[in-house]
Amino acid sequence: MLTLKRIAIDMDEVIADFHFKHLNLYNKDFSETLTKEDLYGTRLWNIRPHISKEILAYVDDSIFFRDLAVIDGSQEVIKDLSEQYEIFIVTAAMEHPSSFTAKYEWLKEHFPFLTDRNFVFCGDKSIIRADYLIDDSPKNIERFIGQGLLFTAPHNIHETRYLRVNNWQEVKKLLLNDKSK
């Protein structure tokens, strides 16, 4: 029996556009005009520490994650990858337990070619055993045993320790041209 290599893929900022919605809600509620570029190298709650609780409260809303936009190219490339790899969507949902239902429904809607068995809701991603982890958070890649691929997001723009992929076309080029499977 042929054993496929595994790819673990983070949800927020890798396949779901978290920052777009978060920034828009913040700008609307606080009458600001911050842009994605304002978040280069940091997080929204770090540049407004005096209201960090209010900013973080958005993601504790049980429906916050339900209508996030899909990151361009993720659906098509993940479908292509699923023909040659085992794919697991891995999200640190324990950081915001109220997000479970919304994240699950979002995944079922936007990635119908994956089954429930392909979804992993966890806290610490270092427990995941896979060959690759595509994630926007250096802290998750740091403790990952396989090959980490840092997916570009505003907050990690200055990170240089890991192999970076800027978009899903780069992921496709890297992983679908890998002949060592």
Side-chain angles (χ1 to χ4, degrees), residues 130-134 141 144-149 162-163 174-175:
D131 299 286
Y132 300 96
L133 171 63
I134 304 170
I141 293 174
F144 181 67
I145 294 173
Q147 172 66 58
L149 302 174
Y162 306 106
L163 181 59
L174 179 69
L175 295 177

Side-chain angles (χ1 to χ4, degrees), residues 99-118:
S99 70
F100 284 125
T101 300
K103 284 186 172 198
Y104 175 74
E105 290 173 351
W106 187 92
L107 287 166
K108 293 297 281 183
E109 177 183 347
H110 297 290
F111 294 85
F113 53 90
L114 297 175
T115 69
D116 292 351
R117 296 181 63 129
N118 298 99

Side-chain angles (χ1 to χ4, degrees), residues 61-180:
D61 182 332
S62 64
I63 62 167
F64 176 85
F65 293 92
R66 185 59 186 96
D67 63 349
L68 297 180
V70 177
I71 299 284
D72 286 342
S74 62
Q75 293 161 306
E76 300 82 7
V77 173
I78 292 172
K79 185 157 182 42
D80 290 346
L81 289 170
S82 72
E83 295 172 11
Q84 297 182 32
Y85 293 89
E86 281 188 280
I87 301 294
F88 294 93
I89 306 301
V90 180
T91 182
M94 292 307 298
E95 293 174 359
H96 302 282
S98 62
S99 70
F100 284 125
T101 300
K103 284 186 172 198
Y104 175 74
E105 290 173 351
W106 187 92
L107 287 166
K108 293 297 281 183
E109 177 183 347
H110 297 290
F111 294 85
F113 53 90
L114 297 175
T115 69
D116 292 351
R117 296 181 63 129
N118 298 99
F119 306 145
V120 180
F121 294 86
C122 63
D124 183 351
K125 292 182 188 175
S126 70
I127 66 164
I128 302 303
R129 195 183 91 217
D131 299 286
Y132 300 96
L133 171 63
I134 304 170
D135 204 304
D136 67 299
S137 179
K139 75 176 182 178
N140 292 325
I141 293 174
E142 188 174 278
R143 298 187 56 208
F144 181 67
I145 294 173
Q147 172 66 58
L149 302 174
L150 185 65
F151 199 89
T152 297
H155 62 88
N156 71 31
I157 205 77
H158 304 300
E159 177 62 58
T160 59
R161 293 176 292 165
Y162 306 106
L163 181 59
R164 179 180 293 277
V165 287
N166 293 302
N167 55 54
W168 279 97
Q169 291 311 307
E170 288 185 14
V171 172
K172 181 176 182 174
K173 183 178 179 184
L174 179 69
L175 295 177
L176 287 179
N177 292 332
D178 179 357
K179 303 302 180 202
S180 64

